[in-house]
Amino acid sequence: MARPYLEQAQARVGTTARKWTLDRLIDVGGMAAVYGGTHRNGNQVAIKVLHKNYAEMPEAKERFLREGYVANKVGHKDAVTVLDDDQLDDGTPFLVMELLLGHPLESYLRSSRKILPAQILFVAHQILDVLAAAHENGIIHRDIKPGNIFITQEGAAKVLDFGLARVLDPGSNWSATRTGTVIGTASYMSPEQARGKREMVDHRTDIYAVGAVIFRALTGRTPHVADSPMDRLLLVMTEKAPSLASFLPGAPADLVALVDRALAFQKADRFATAREMQDALRVVYQANTGAPLPTGPQLVPPPVRQDAVSGADDVHVNVAIEEPGGDSIFVEFSDIDTGRAARFRLRKTSSPPAVDSDGDAPLSEVSVVFDED
């Protein structure tokens, strides 16, 4: 549970947000809390309320409200629908969304029930279908993770939370010296996203995240493991993801190849598009099950009801890149859950694996400039 916001979120249960009553707390994340709500006419909805401290930040507030516009622009039935937006009396914004019945994929992964390769491939195929539609509309999700994948009672996989999505603007020109801010989830970020290289983030960033989700479902761990989200990000930035075969002995070679390619350090080595990965996934599914990919449900509800999914892996990444010709990138972290801040210097070296196809200099040596709790 995202503890700094838990009491704040629970205190809102039973209160009224304009025409809606906040009946129960569903989820608490790094930036917002989600409630089951009832309209005064009796209609059931989900209501997402931005945490108050972010409501005081114009950029965060704008990004939050943009979620409704972006999600509805995707144009796919499995992208969650945003119905309305408004604000509380204190100016805190909220979104009104369709209420989904079921469980986030995170609940399945936290339960004791084993997820089979065929099951997670089925879910991944649905997620890739949503992402393909998003990418074709110039939208990159940038926060695909088990907590943002919802399995409905009918067996459909819905993609949630387009609040971090980037809408590609062909007219934009990101400078190599620009300082930017990335908010995301450490365990599922791609190397380029973890480094705050916004000009390098594209649809293949989402493909990496899908690979990380499959890896987690099959092995019980994320590709990079460390004691804190910030330490995990350093690993993402500087080390290749391990092969699926390293943690799933006996896995079919084609399944290993599928996941390893999605998790390739260099973008050019990943699947070129979500559609291409979908095609490859269908081939792997049929080769290993002897049947085509089904259309019906593959996951049943977890054995017990889970608490709200934790937002403890969410981080701010503030990246200041030196002038062209410099030998380092400075990366500043802020852990949303613990408040820990740190600044690291990543030196450019000639060592792999951090050579990417866009000609960016490799990075591997890391030194701590400051680290404070």
Side-chain angles (χ1 to χ4, degrees):
M1 185 74 70
R3 299 187 186 280
Y5 306 113
L6 177 56
E7 290 185 6
Q8 177 189 121
Q10 289 176 329
R12 286 201 174 106
V13 174
T15 64
T16 300
R18 301 300 184 190
K19 298 170 286 186
W20 294 271
T21 299
L22 306 181
D23 300 319
R24 59 187 175 89
L25 181 62
I26 296 176
D27 186 20
V28 180
M31 290 193 68
V34 180
Y35 302 84
T38 305
H39 190 275
R40 61 191 179 193
N41 65 11
N43 286 341
Q44 301 290 305
V45 294
I47 299 175
K48 185 174 184 178
V49 183
L50 188 65
H51 295 320
K52 188 170 177 56
N53 61 320
Y54 287 110
E56 297 169 356
M57 302 177 186
E59 182 181 349
K61 188 174 181 177
E62 178 183 356
R63 180 171 57 246
F64 177 80
L65 291 172
R66 188 184 59 172
E67 177 179 350
Y69 161 74
V70 175
N72 292 344
K73 185 181 177 183
V74 172
H76 194 287
K77 63 181 177 59
D78 290 328
V80 67
T81 301
V82 177
L83 307 171
D84 197 2
D85 64 80
D86 207 329
Q87 61 182 26
L88 305 177
D89 291 339
D90 63 3
T92 301
F94 63 87
L95 299 174
V96 181
M97 304 178 293
E98 61 176 316
L99 181 63
L100 302 176
L101 299 179
H103 299 272
L105 180 61
E106 180 71 30
S107 293
Y108 291 88
L109 301 184
R110 293 170 65 197
S111 73
S112 59
R113 180 163 296 175
K114 183 178 180 180
I115 294 182
L116 301 174
Q119 293 174 318
I120 194 60
L121 289 178
F122 174 82
V123 171
H125 186 272
Q126 291 186 292
I127 299 309
L128 287 166
D129 206 58
V130 177
L131 290 175
H135 298 164
E136 289 159 7
N137 281 285
I139 297 167
I140 305 166
H141 189 283
R142 299 199 302 179
D143 198 24
I144 293 296
K145 60 183 178 181
N148 283 337
I149 299 171
F150 195 92
I151 311 301
T152 69
Q153 290 181 344
E154 295 75 30
K158 291 265 191 176
V159 176
L160 312 180
D161 200 348
F162 281 83
L164 300 188
R166 178 182 173 194
V167 181
L168 297 180
D169 179 3
S172 65
N173 181 23
W174 295 104
S175 168
T177 60
R178 184 184 181 99
T179 297
T181 300
V182 176
I183 300 174
T185 307
S187 295
Y188 303 94
M189 276 189 184
S190 66
E192 64 274 9
Q193 186 181 7
R195 287 162 54 186
K197 304 280 281 185
R198 292 186 296 183
E199 74 281 2
M200 290 173 55
V201 170
D202 62 18
H203 57 280
R204 291 168 291 183
T205 297
D206 286 342
I207 288 172
Y208 183 99
V210 174
V213 169
I214 299 174
F215 190 102
R216 162 92 185 279
L218 294 178
T219 67
R221 52 158 281 166
T222 54
H224 296 92
V225 175
D227 292 336
S228 73
M230 288 184 285
D231 294 331
R232 195 172 302 122
L233 277 172
L234 287 173
L235 294 178
V236 173
M237 284 187 282
T238 58
E239 295 188 10
K240 294 179 180 179
S243 171
L244 177 68
S246 300
F247 296 94
L248 194 66
D254 53 359
L255 176 61
V256 170
L258 176 86
V259 177
D260 288 359
R261 183 176 176 187
L263 288 172
F265 195 98
Q266 299 184 43
K267 292 191 302 179
D269 292 335
R270 298 173 205 158
F271 293 98
T273 66
R275 297 288 184 208
E276 182 184 10
M277 187 174 177
Q278 266 193 309
D279 292 342
L281 188 152
R282 283 194 295 269
V283 172
V284 171
Y285 187 97
Q286 181 152 5
N288 287 277
T289 66
L293 196 78
T295 57
Q298 294 295 293
L299 288 177
V300 298
V304 295
R305 181 178 177 82
Q306 302 291 319
D307 292 332
V309 175
S310 170
D313 206 26
D314 291 342
V315 292
H316 278 116
V317 185
N318 302 295
V319 182
I321 304 175
E322 289 187 344
E323 295 290 336
D327 68 350
S328 304
I329 289 179
F330 289 97
V331 184
E332 295 183 357
F333 299 97
S334 176
D335 187 327
I336 291 175
D337 187 53
T338 66
R340 177 187 167 201
R343 189 180 192 194
F344 300 90
R345 179 175 184 172
L346 284 78
R347 283 188 167 279
K348 297 177 181 178
T349 75
S350 58
S351 304
V355 180
D356 54 56
S357 58
D358 294 348
D360 193 45
L363 297 165
S364 63
E365 294 181 1
V366 178
S367 60
V368 178
V369 179
F370 73 78
D371 187 348
E372 60 184 26
D373 292 330

